[in-house]
């Protein structure tokens, strides 16, 4: 199995961005210090017989403050250009036009096709488990289980395997009771989403605002109730956001897990009666 944690490339990307930011602020700070300590320009030009160049252009060009400003603007442009040439820093960027230089970006048409492929694959998983064949198979797997929590864990594990193999999207999960969820270490914003997930009967995505914050997680929270006991199913990952299709698919599959678990219990009860 792969890892959904930040990779060595992510570390390199963070290092490049850190170095870039430090050097950028050093250039700006140096420019501010130079402007604060430079001696004012002395005016020695004689107004009589002077041309427009002498009266207008030369004072500007020979002004040390103006020279410093242009000098450090040049440094900033050079530093920006070097940064743009570093491929790791722009790992998500495919085409960028900067003056006469052009970098490749992903075409809109290609992006649309990729999105359609991903959403189709997600909904196909729900359709797959709604078939009679998968229902019979799942009932066989849960027929000896006594706790619905085990059935929910089994279904979530199947979702996890499918997402990794078919979509290249990895996540971690946990299935806990309401009491265990309240004592868990998930962020407060996830805990505050519990009532919404319970009342809506749908999974609730809680994605981080800035995807570049690699060590924060995206969450998908679903709440299921069985025989008066509430269960929280929490999916989380660092690199991929959860969307409305994940909400639909995960909620649907978890509901199917409970439905198949109930049927397995009924079948087991009937078998016990017949013996």
């Amino acid at each position: 199995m792969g890892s959904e944690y930040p990779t060595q490339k992510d570390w390199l990307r963070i290092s490049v961005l850190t170095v870039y930011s430090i050097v950028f602020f050093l250039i700006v700070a140096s420019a501010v210090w130079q402007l604060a300590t430079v001696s004012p320009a002395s005016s020695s030009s004689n107004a009589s017989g002077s041309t427009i160049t002498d009266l207008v252009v030369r004072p500007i060009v020979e002004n040390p403050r103006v020279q410093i400003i242009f000098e450090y603007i040049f440094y900033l442009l050079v530093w920006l250009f070097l940064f743009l040439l570093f491929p790791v820093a722009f790992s998500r960027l495919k085409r960028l036009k900067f003056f006469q230089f052009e970098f490749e970006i992903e075409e809109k048409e290609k992006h649309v096709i990729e999105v359609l492929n991903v959403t189709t694959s997600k909904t196909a998983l729900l359709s797959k488990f709604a078939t009679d064949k998968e229902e019979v198979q799942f009932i066989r797997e849960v027929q000896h289980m006594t706790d619905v929590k085990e059935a929910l864990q089994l279904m979530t594990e199947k979702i996890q395997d499918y997402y990794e193999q078919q979509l290249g999207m990895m996540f971690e999960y946990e299935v806990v009771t309401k009491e265990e969820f309240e004592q868990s270490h998930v962020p407060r914003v996830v805990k505050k989403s519990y009532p919404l997930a319970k009342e809506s009967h749908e999974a609730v995505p809680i994605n981080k605002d800035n995807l570049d914050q690699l060590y924060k997680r995206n969450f998908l929270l679903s709440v299921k109730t069985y025989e008066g006991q509430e269960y929280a199913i929490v999916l989380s990952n660092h690199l991929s956001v959860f969307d409305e299709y994940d909400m639909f698919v995960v909620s649907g599959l978890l509901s199917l897990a409970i439905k198949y678990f109930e049927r397995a219990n009924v079948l087991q009860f009937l078998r016990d009666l017949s013996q």
Side-chain angles (χ1 to χ4, degrees):
M1 291 178 61
S3 173
E4 57 94 17
Y5 289 95
T7 61
Q8 183 177 5
K9 183 177 179 181
D10 295 322
W11 275 106
L12 181 58
R13 182 167 172 265
I14 292 173
S15 301
V16 171
L17 292 173
T18 302
V19 171
Y20 168 78
S21 301
I22 291 174
V23 175
F24 183 89
F25 284 112
L26 285 176
I27 293 174
V28 174
S30 178
V32 172
W33 183 83
Q34 291 277 4
L35 290 172
T37 58
V38 68
S39 301
S42 58
S43 178
S44 60
S45 60
N46 187 0
S48 59
S50 298
T51 64
I52 294 179
T53 301
D54 295 327
L55 294 175
V56 179
V57 178
R58 182 171 295 174
I60 296 176
V61 174
E62 295 181 352
N63 189 318
R65 294 182 183 275
V66 175
Q67 293 175 358
I68 290 172
I69 291 173
F70 279 102
E71 178 184 357
Y72 281 90
I73 287 177
F74 172 75
Y75 293 155
L76 289 174
L77 288 175
V78 171
W79 185 240
L80 176 63
F81 179 74
L82 291 175
F83 175 71
L84 293 179
L85 288 181
F86 204 99
V88 176
F90 269 23
S91 59
R92 292 194 180 102
L93 195 61
K94 302 294 184 179
R95 181 183 293 262
L96 172 68
K97 192 166 185 180
F98 182 73
F99 293 102
Q100 298 300 318
F101 300 93
E102 191 172 90
F103 304 85
E104 294 291 320
I105 61 166
E106 191 176 42
E107 297 179 357
K108 289 184 178 180
E109 293 81 0
K110 182 179 179 181
H111 177 67
V112 170
I113 293 174
E114 289 180 352
V115 170
L116 288 175
N117 287 336
V118 170
T119 54
T120 302
S121 298
K122 290 179 181 179
T123 54
L125 176 61
L126 181 57
S127 300
K128 172 186 175 183
F129 273 93
T131 61
D132 293 339
K133 177 182 178 181
E134 292 297 329
E135 177 183 353
V136 172
Q137 177 62 31
F138 194 86
I139 289 176
R140 288 175 179 172
E141 294 182 58
V142 301
Q143 62 183 344
H144 298 300
M145 294 180 180
T146 58
D147 190 346
V148 71
K149 180 178 180 180
E150 297 177 85
L152 292 171
Q153 289 173 330
L154 176 62
M155 180 60 79
T156 309
E157 183 179 347
K158 291 180 179 293
I159 299 172
Q160 182 188 50
D161 292 341
Y162 182 89
Y163 268 49
E164 181 176 353
Q165 295 172 10
Q166 301 296 325
L167 306 175
M169 177 180 173
M170 290 163 280
F171 62 80
E172 297 178 353
Y173 74 88
E174 57 179 348
V175 180
V176 295
T177 63
K178 178 182 179 182
E179 295 74 21
E180 292 170 335
F181 177 77
E182 292 173 346
Q183 298 299 321
S184 67
H185 298 290
V186 297
R188 184 178 301 177
V189 65
V190 180
K191 291 185 177 181
K192 287 184 176 180
S193 301
Y194 188 95
L196 175 60
K198 178 184 176 181
E199 294 170 6
S200 65
H201 302 287
E202 293 181 351
V204 176
I206 307 101
N207 295 309
K208 53 190 176 184
D209 295 329
N210 186 353
L211 296 180
D212 291 328
Q213 295 175 334
L214 297 175
Y215 292 93
K216 288 188 176 182
R217 287 174 172 265
N218 302 301
F219 290 88
L220 184 69
L221 172 65
S222 183
V223 177
K224 296 298 179 182
T225 303
Y226 182 74
E227 294 185 347
Q229 177 65 60
E230 297 176 13
Y231 297 91
I233 301 88
V234 185
L235 280 57
S236 65
N237 71 68
H238 290 91
L239 303 178
S240 303
V241 299
F242 294 105
D243 57 24
E244 62 273 14
Y245 294 98
D246 300 311
M247 295 168 51
F248 173 72
V249 171
V250 172
S251 295
L253 289 173
L254 293 175
S255 296
L256 283 178
I258 295 176
K259 177 181 178 181
Y260 296 162
F261 177 78
E262 289 178 330
R263 290 186 179 178
N265 284 344
V266 171
L267 291 175
Q268 185 63 40
F269 176 74
L270 294 176
R271 279 193 293 266
D272 293 341
L273 285 179
S274 62
Q275 293 178 356

